Amino acid sequence: MKTRNPWLARISALTLMGPAIVQADEAIDANSVNAFWGVSAEKFEYRYSDSDEKLAVIESDAWYGSDELKFRWQFTGEWEEAHNAWETLENQFLAQTPISEFWDAKAGIRIDTPQGPDRVYGVIGLTGLAPYWFEIDTNLYVSDEGDASVDFEAEYELLITNYWIVSATFETLLAFSEDREIGVGKGINSTEMGLRLSYDLIDRSFSPYVGVVHERKYGDTADLARASGGGTEDWFAVVGARLAF
């Protein structure tokens, strides 16, 4: 069975090719390191909300390195059609290394250019595969203003066939202090839940999808959004594609 998840691929390789891997390791010079690279866009989509809001969203990832150490550039942005401008724009530059068979640690910097002043954050985080095949990504951020926050993302993929895949996602952000200049309140800021149905049209390189996304702001963050004339909850219809090179 084909799998998109790199952690599942790692498990399959260890299970089915264990003896061959041992023999290969013995034959390879211990000092040699095989570097690899890749570029992907987990989300490249258009969103249309029940309040007539229209957004273009991209979440991309470029990396270079080995299984022991890789360097990543993660880019996330939301383009708001009504204002013809980026609503959010985030770059993360990270180093990542395994700490167990299914978990990697990462650290680096995050640079944001949101509506309002720019922000720079230090980042430490974990990413990996939890029991029952949940992909987890969580990070602690400390800004140049001294504000700290934590995000958490979970994804679960259900293979209907080798090509049709249902993906469920959940994201949330918790801030330990407020940053009113960029609309961040103390406490749980927001949640985003999504459900997408994709088809692997060209192997794992191009997978168009349709879906639905629900976004909601909470507490002080919701109050700040209302004060600036924004909404606090939206349902979006989504069409897009996953890309990998």
Side-chain angles (χ1 to χ4, degrees):
M1 179 180 292
K2 296 181 181 179
T3 61
R4 182 202 314 280
N5 191 321
W7 300 95
L8 298 183
R10 184 183 299 181
I11 296 169
S12 299
L14 289 171
T15 304
L16 300 177
M17 299 173 59
I21 291 172
V22 172
Q23 293 175 6
D25 285 344
E26 292 174 351
I28 295 174
D29 185 344
N31 294 323
S32 65
V33 176
N34 293 321
F36 57 92
W37 65 274
V39 179
S40 66
E42 183 67 18
K43 295 176 184 175
F44 190 76
E45 63 189 33
Y46 179 81
R47 298 182 180 182
Y48 183 84
S49 80
D50 55 353
S51 60
D52 203 33
E53 184 178 9
K54 301 172 185 177
L55 297 173
V57 177
I58 182 171
E59 290 186 9
S60 62
D61 189 6
W63 64 92
Y64 177 84
S66 68
D67 286 337
E68 296 305 315
L69 178 64
K70 64 172 65 75
F71 299 95
R72 302 177 66 180
W73 169 32
Q74 294 181 322
F75 172 83
T76 304
E78 292 187 1
W79 178 270
E80 189 175 16
E81 186 174 306
H83 296 94
N84 197 32
W86 291 105
E87 185 176 275
T88 61
L89 193 62
E90 174 187 310
N91 289 274
Q92 292 193 38
F93 302 94
L94 305 166
Q96 180 173 320
T97 187
I99 56 173
S100 70
E101 190 170 355
F102 301 116
W103 292 94
D104 287 2
K106 53 184 178 173
I109 62 169
R110 166 183 153 195
I111 303 170
D112 279 11
T113 54
Q115 293 180 346
D118 294 353
R119 290 288 185 263
V120 178
Y121 301 82
V123 182
I124 56 172
L126 288 173
T127 184
L129 189 66
Y132 303 103
W133 314 109
F134 285 91
E135 292 182 68
I136 303 297
D137 191 279
T138 185
N139 302 278
L140 170 66
Y141 305 104
V142 180
S143 78
D144 52 351
E145 300 292 314
D147 298 306
S149 59
V150 173
D151 69 6
F152 175 85
E153 300 181 17
E155 180 175 4
Y156 183 81
E157 291 184 346
L158 176 64
L159 275 68
I160 301 174
T161 70
N162 281 350
Y163 300 95
W164 288 100
I165 300 170
V166 174
S167 175
T169 59
F170 173 79
E171 303 176 18
T172 189
L173 177 68
L174 169 67
F176 298 108
S177 56
E178 69 174 23
D179 189 347
R180 301 180 67 89
E181 290 185 308
I182 59 173
V184 171
K186 186 177 180 180
I188 296 177
N189 275 214
S190 61
T191 57
E192 178 181 306
M193 293 179 286
L195 193 66
R196 296 171 176 84
L197 174 65
S198 65
Y199 182 79
D200 284 335
L201 188 62
I202 304 176
D203 194 26
R204 295 300 186 260
S205 299
F206 180 63
S207 303
Y209 60 79
V210 294
V212 62
V213 169
H214 177 255
E215 293 183 353
R216 185 176 177 183
K217 296 181 176 68
Y218 300 90
D220 294 342
T221 302
D223 293 340
L224 291 171
R226 293 189 193 97
S228 64
T232 62
E233 186 173 10
D234 270 311
W235 284 93
F236 292 89
V238 173
V239 60
R242 292 186 177 95
L243 308 170
F245 305 95

